Amino acid sequence: MDLLDHPPADGGWTRIDPWSPGLYAVIAMTGHAFVSAPPSWSDDALTALGVDGFGGAHDPRVLAALAGSDGWIDVLDQMLIADPLDEPPTLTQRHDLDDHARVRRARELRSDVRVFGDRQSVLALGRGIAGYLEAAFEVDPALRGQGLGRSLLLEARRLSDEPVVVAVSPGNVASTRAALAAGYRPAGAVQLYRPMVGT
């Protein structure tokens, strides 16, 4: 799927392949949704469950059914996307931050993760949502409010030669502002899930 080419706002939905084994997603854009689901769920069953492009795909009951009682459901995030910057990067890759919580989380959900920054401000870049390069970042609480989040997200654009996606909780106003200030624009919403074994 192409996050830069918005589908028609027809209230419909499109099935997509998962981009990581065992990890599935519901993505909503304006008036259209994209759903990856285990093969045991037919298109007719998903439609009967209430999947549609006008909010139904993100109904908590839909995600609960898809994941099953023992499955994992991630939080609902807004997606923002930005083009790469033709500027030299300022950070070098770090190989000593594997124990950082943000890095561990990135590696659970993405592939080919590269890490930049330090223990106070960490940027992780990996292959994530819909196969896009995805950025995750974290700034130490003592250093927040100084524009470091914006700087990290700008750096993600410098380190890439393709569009970069960032997923931010809608309630995280500080991170949303940082993404907007770094030139990222809203693209939709995403919720990841892992079904219980056997579904």
Side-chain angles (χ1 to χ4, degrees):
M1 64 173 295
D2 187 349
L3 296 180
L4 299 173
D5 183 19
H6 281 246
D10 57 5
W13 66 278
T14 302
R15 190 173 195 134
I16 58 173
D17 293 328
W19 54 84
S20 180
L23 182 65
Y24 299 89
V26 173
I27 295 175
M29 301 176 84
T30 303
H32 198 89
F34 296 87
V35 178
S36 62
S40 57
W41 284 94
S42 69
D43 289 1
D44 287 344
L46 290 170
T47 298
L49 192 60
V51 172
D52 65 28
F54 290 143
H58 278 306
D59 188 312
R61 292 167 293 191
V62 169
L63 272 297
L66 291 175
S69 59
D70 294 328
W72 168 82
I73 302 173
D74 198 11
V75 298
L76 176 65
D77 280 332
Q78 58 182 319
M79 295 184 305
L80 301 100
I81 191 166
D83 293 322
L85 287 175
D86 187 17
E87 299 174 1
T90 60
L91 295 178
T92 56
Q93 190 167 352
R94 297 284 296 267
H95 300 280
D96 59 337
L97 297 175
D98 287 350
D99 62 337
H100 192 285
R102 181 60 59 183
V103 175
R104 292 198 307 269
R105 170 75 168 172
R107 291 206 162 114
E108 289 174 2
L109 302 175
R110 301 172 198 107
S111 60
D112 303 321
V113 174
R114 295 175 294 149
V115 182
F116 304 86
D118 53 40
R119 292 192 177 275
Q120 286 72 45
S121 55
V122 175
L123 171 68
L125 284 174
R127 195 60 59 188
I129 295 171
Y132 277 81
L133 190 65
E134 185 177 352
F137 68 104
E138 185 167 319
V139 175
D140 186 276
L143 300 175
R144 291 176 185 167
Q146 303 177 37
L148 291 177
R150 173 182 176 273
S151 296
L152 289 172
L153 289 176
L154 283 169
E155 186 70 0
R157 298 177 63 190
R158 295 187 190 103
L159 288 161
S160 177
D161 58 2
E162 62 184 278
V164 182
V165 170
V166 62
V168 180
S169 169
N172 190 339
V173 176
S175 291
T176 299
R177 287 176 175 166
L180 293 172
Y184 291 72
R185 55 197 182 276
V190 62
Q191 197 160 18
L192 306 177
Y193 69 98
R194 284 195 179 99
M196 59 185 292
V197 175
T199 58

